[in-house]
């Protein structure tokens, strides 16, 4: 049939098929080598891909990694590879799914989707169309999802809670949540734009540069962070969700890169060797027993506070050098053209303020003397149980702190259910505490920020003790 490529496969029922890609781009053929088994002439490309996939029983992670683009997107979920290239356009989050292209996204899928979403994955219609095969790994998986009793009970009770408040002002995407989302977006974006204008074109004072650093913290904790976790996908306009993600540009980096290392690495592999957030400080810091020890580490509890301000440069800008360079160049061109000066020192001040604030607020929730760190899990602990053990909360009684920081102080609930807005965390925490107590799993919560900071300092001292 004028095919450029042909593949002979044999179905489980013994029927031998000849599958070919037509010389005409829009026409694909799936047929049998004999007249008795003609399946479709011509069939769409989907049929050809399904026939080819049906012949496969397993794939390697290396092969999955090679399918990591918008036009060729494979994702691993619960030990199975799916070709979701065509499904992206049907997914509620559209491009949101692409952050997992060529990777294992089981942890993200588990924490973002409800039981209904997980049922779609298990449905025969979805599996027959998108399943590629089981994944063969060189190393065993770190966590288990099938036998994660803790997370299964947590998910069930949290879903029951939201069913009980459905249709009320406290529902997901309800009146209270929308008021907080839209008012925060408006106020914080006005503050960010004003301080950015003053820094680049206006007075460029030291106070203004500090305020811009604070505004950047408010942007990431209250706007772009939640949007990048999918909080706004289901119940808000698409343009608003995208605008909230792109607010990340105030940090001089792209939201897509943030999702790649924060969502896919930190949230899936919290406090393990695969967590980029936890292991980024080496060799200057030693936060875990497996980290290399050097003579100067014994003094780390004295000098880390002077290195923490560089977090923005090391974490955000270094990964996105091209985008960061464009951001810096654009700001300086505008400043020179409209104000007759450059704004390099203003950009540096805001970067240092943001970096220090980001670490001091966010880092202590995982890097403290109570949260567990497992370098390479030797037993397949439940993913949800590990999130409980490796995260901690602080200042839970302060609604002001929760509102200002976008629920970062409720880190446990955020890691367990990352796509749920922080306004629901106080009620959800009651469920999580009850279930963790029932399942005999630690629930670490510090009464004040100072207590959490002291625990972080205690960890630095302990890890700095000579071996």
């Amino acid at each position: 049939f004028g095919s450029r490529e042909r593949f002979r496969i044999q179905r489980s029922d013994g029927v031998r098929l000849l599958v070919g890609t037509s010389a005409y781009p829009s026409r694909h053929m799936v047929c049998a080598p004999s007249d008795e088994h003609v399946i479709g002439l011509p069939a769409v490309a989907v049929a050809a891909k399904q026939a080819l996939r049906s012949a496969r029983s397993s794939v390697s992670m290396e092969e999955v990694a090679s399918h990591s683009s918008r036009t060729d997107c494979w994702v691993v979920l619960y030990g199975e590879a799916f070709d979701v290239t065509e499904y992206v356009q049907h997914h509620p989050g559209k491009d949101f799914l692409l952050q997992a292209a060529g990777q294992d996204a089981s942890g993200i899928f588990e924490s973002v989707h409800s039981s209904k979403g997980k049922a779609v994955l298990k449905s025969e219609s979805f599996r027959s169309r998108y399943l590629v095969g089981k994944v063969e790994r060189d190393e065993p998986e770190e966590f288990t999802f099938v036998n994660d009793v803790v997370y299964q009970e947590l998910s069930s009770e949290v879903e029951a809670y939201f069913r009980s408040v459905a249709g009320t002002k406290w529902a997901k995407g309800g009146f209270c949540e929308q008021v907080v989302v839209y008012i925060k977006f408006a106020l914080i974006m006005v503050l960010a734009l004003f301080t950015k204008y003053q820094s680049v074109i206006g007075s460029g004072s030291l106070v203004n540069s500090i305020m811009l650093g604070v505004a950047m913290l408010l942007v990431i904790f209250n706007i772009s962070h939640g949007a990048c976790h999918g909080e706004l996908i289901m119940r808000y306009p698409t343009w608003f969700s995208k605008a909230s993600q792109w607010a990340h540009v105030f940090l001089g980096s792209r939201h897509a890169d943030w999702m790649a290392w924060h969502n896919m690495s930190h949230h899936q592999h919290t406090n393990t060797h695969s967590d980029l957030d936890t292991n980024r400080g080496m060799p200057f810091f030693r936060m875990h027993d497996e980290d290399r020890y050097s003579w100067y580490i014994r003094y780390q509890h004295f000098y880390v506070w002077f290195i923490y301000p560089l977090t923005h440069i090391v974490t955000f800008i270094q990964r996105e050098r091209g985008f960061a360079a464009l951001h810096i160049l654009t700001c300086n061109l505008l400043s020179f053209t409209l104000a007759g000066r450059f704004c390099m020192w203003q950009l540096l001040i805001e970067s240092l303020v943001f970096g220090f604030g980001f670490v001091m607020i966010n880092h202590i929730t995982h890097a403290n003397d109570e949260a567990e760190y497992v370098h390479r899990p030797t037993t397949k602990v439940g993913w949800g149980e590990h999130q409980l053990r490796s995260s901690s909360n602080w200042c839970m009684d302060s609604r002001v702190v929760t509102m200002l920081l976008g629920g970062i102080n409720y880190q446990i609930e955020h890691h367990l259910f990352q796509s749920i807005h922080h306004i629901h965390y106080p009620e959800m925490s009651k469920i999580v505490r009850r279930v963790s107590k029932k399942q005999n799993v630690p629930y670490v919560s510090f009464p004040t920020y100072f207590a959490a900071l002291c625990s972080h300092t205690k960890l630095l001292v302990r890890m700095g003790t000579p071996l």
Side-chain angles (χ1 to χ4, degrees):
F1 46 76
S3 165
R4 288 191 298 241
E5 294 180 280
R6 298 181 181 179
F7 306 90
R8 290 188 181 276
I9 63 176
Q10 184 166 331
R11 295 193 324 203
S12 58
D13 57 5
V15 177
R16 294 172 60 214
L17 304 177
L18 180 64
V19 182
T21 305
S22 172
Y24 304 98
S26 61
R27 297 168 69 84
H28 289 70
M29 313 291 283
V30 179
C31 65
S34 65
D35 293 338
E36 289 83 8
H37 302 295
V38 176
I39 298 179
L41 301 171
V44 294
V46 174
K49 293 176 71 175
Q50 288 175 343
L52 287 172
R53 285 199 297 260
S54 68
R56 312 189 62 165
S57 59
S58 64
V59 295
S60 65
M61 280 303 298
E62 290 74 15
E63 184 175 0
V64 172
S66 67
H67 300 272
S68 57
S69 66
R70 180 186 299 272
T71 56
D72 186 15
C73 180
W74 287 18
V75 175
V76 174
L77 298 172
Y78 308 127
E80 296 180 316
F82 295 86
D83 181 354
V84 294
T85 308
E86 296 160 5
Y87 183 69
V88 171
Q89 60 183 324
H90 304 295
H91 189 271
K94 304 297 185 198
D95 293 354
F96 186 79
L97 195 151
L98 295 176
Q99 66 178 303
Q103 301 180 70
D104 189 329
S106 303
I108 297 294
F109 186 89
E110 182 79 357
S111 63
V112 167
H113 293 84
S114 65
S115 57
K116 290 182 179 180
K118 295 169 185 174
V120 172
L121 182 68
K122 297 177 182 178
S123 67
E124 183 59 32
S125 59
F126 186 91
R127 294 176 64 82
S128 63
R129 184 164 187 174
Y130 301 111
L131 178 64
V132 177
K134 291 187 177 181
V135 176
E136 294 181 344
R137 298 175 182 269
D138 295 330
E139 297 182 358
E141 294 180 88
E142 292 179 338
F143 309 111
T144 180
F145 297 92
V146 177
N147 300 316
D148 191 353
V149 178
V150 174
Y151 194 74
Q152 289 171 0
E153 184 172 354
L154 283 171
S155 298
S156 178
E157 293 213 22
V158 168
E159 286 191 31
Y161 164 73
F162 280 111
R163 284 196 298 270
S164 70
V165 297
T168 70
K169 63 181 181 179
W170 292 107
K172 284 184 184 178
F175 175 77
C176 291
E177 180 184 315
Q178 292 200 15
V179 167
V180 171
V181 167
Y182 287 123
I183 289 180
K184 271 191 175 185
F185 183 87
L187 293 179
I188 293 174
M189 289 306 295
V190 167
L191 175 63
L193 288 169
F194 175 76
T195 52
K196 192 70 173 179
Y197 173 86
Q198 289 295 325
S199 177
V200 175
I201 302 172
S203 63
S205 65
L206 176 62
V207 173
N208 183 80
S209 297
I210 294 174
M211 285 301 299
L212 179 54
V214 173
M216 289 164 63
L217 289 168
L218 293 174
V219 166
I220 192 171
F221 288 141
N222 293 279
I223 298 177
S224 64
H225 180 223
C228 289
H229 277 304
E231 284 183 0
L232 309 177
I233 287 177
M234 297 295 292
R235 299 167 185 85
Y236 295 85
T238 302
W239 69 265
F240 182 72
S241 177
K242 289 293 184 184
S244 297
Q245 290 179 349
W246 275 102
H248 206 79
V249 75
F250 278 97
L251 280 60
S253 62
R254 296 180 306 121
H255 67 278
D257 182 68
W258 163 266
M259 294 166 72
W261 62 264
H262 180 73
N263 293 8
M264 298 304 298
S265 171
H266 173 62
H267 268 264
Q268 291 204 115
H269 309 283
T270 312
N271 274 18
T272 69
H273 73 287
S274 302
D275 184 353
L276 290 178
D277 278 7
T278 303
N279 299 294
R280 186 175 280 112
M282 297 184 291
F284 304 106
F285 312 147
R286 184 172 184 266
M287 300 288 183
H288 317 292
D289 291 323
E290 290 76 10
D291 294 345
R292 188 184 68 183
Y293 184 87
S294 299
W295 65 268
Y296 53 82
I297 293 295
R298 70 173 65 190
Y299 307 110
Q300 67 175 354
H301 57 287
F302 293 116
Y303 66 73
V304 294
W305 319 106
F306 301 99
I307 298 179
Y308 281 168
L310 301 176
T311 299
H312 180 238
I313 297 173
V314 174
T315 303
F316 292 86
I317 295 179
Q318 186 179 25
R319 285 182 55 89
E320 284 281 293
R321 295 178 184 178
F323 192 89
L326 179 62
H327 174 79
I328 294 171
L329 179 62
T330 301
C331 289
N332 277 278
L333 283 175
L334 286 172
S335 183
F336 183 77
T337 303
L338 301 177
R341 60 176 175 83
F342 293 108
C343 58
M344 283 301 297
W345 78 267
Q346 287 89 347
L347 294 177
L348 176 61
I349 293 298
E350 68 191 49
S351 174
L352 296 176
V353 170
F354 172 83
F356 187 72
F358 183 81
V359 171
M360 297 302 290
I361 292 171
N362 194 55
H363 197 46
I364 61 173
T365 59
H366 299 289
N368 59 63
D369 211 39
E370 300 293 331
E372 294 184 11
Y373 176 88
V374 183
H375 186 65
R376 291 183 184 272
T378 55
T379 58
K380 291 181 67 174
V381 67
W383 178 84
E385 181 178 340
H386 176 74
Q387 296 301 321
L388 268 166
R389 293 179 178 275
S390 60
S391 306
S392 62
N393 295 353
W394 53 272
C395 244
M396 293 174 61
D397 295 331
S398 175
R399 291 298 179 102
V400 174
V401 171
T402 303
M403 198 62 65
L404 282 176
L405 301 182
I408 292 298
N409 55 322
Y410 280 86
Q411 194 73 187
I412 295 174
E413 286 69 28
H414 171 59
H415 267 252
L416 290 169
F417 305 98
Q418 60 180 285
S419 64
I420 297 179
H421 192 267
H422 67 266
I423 195 175
H424 305 291
Y425 289 171
E427 289 300 317
M428 291 168 59
S429 69
K430 299 175 183 178
I431 298 172
V432 178
R433 278 182 286 185
R434 183 173 67 250
V435 172
S436 64
K437 183 177 181 180
K438 175 183 175 182
Q439 296 291 344
N440 197 29
V441 179
Y443 183 96
V444 180
S445 176
F446 300 100
T448 64
Y449 173 80
F450 183 73
L453 185 61
C454 286
S455 183
H456 175 63
T457 306
K458 185 179 178 180
L459 175 68
L460 293 173
V461 173
R462 182 165 62 85
M463 289 295 104
T465 303
L467 298 175

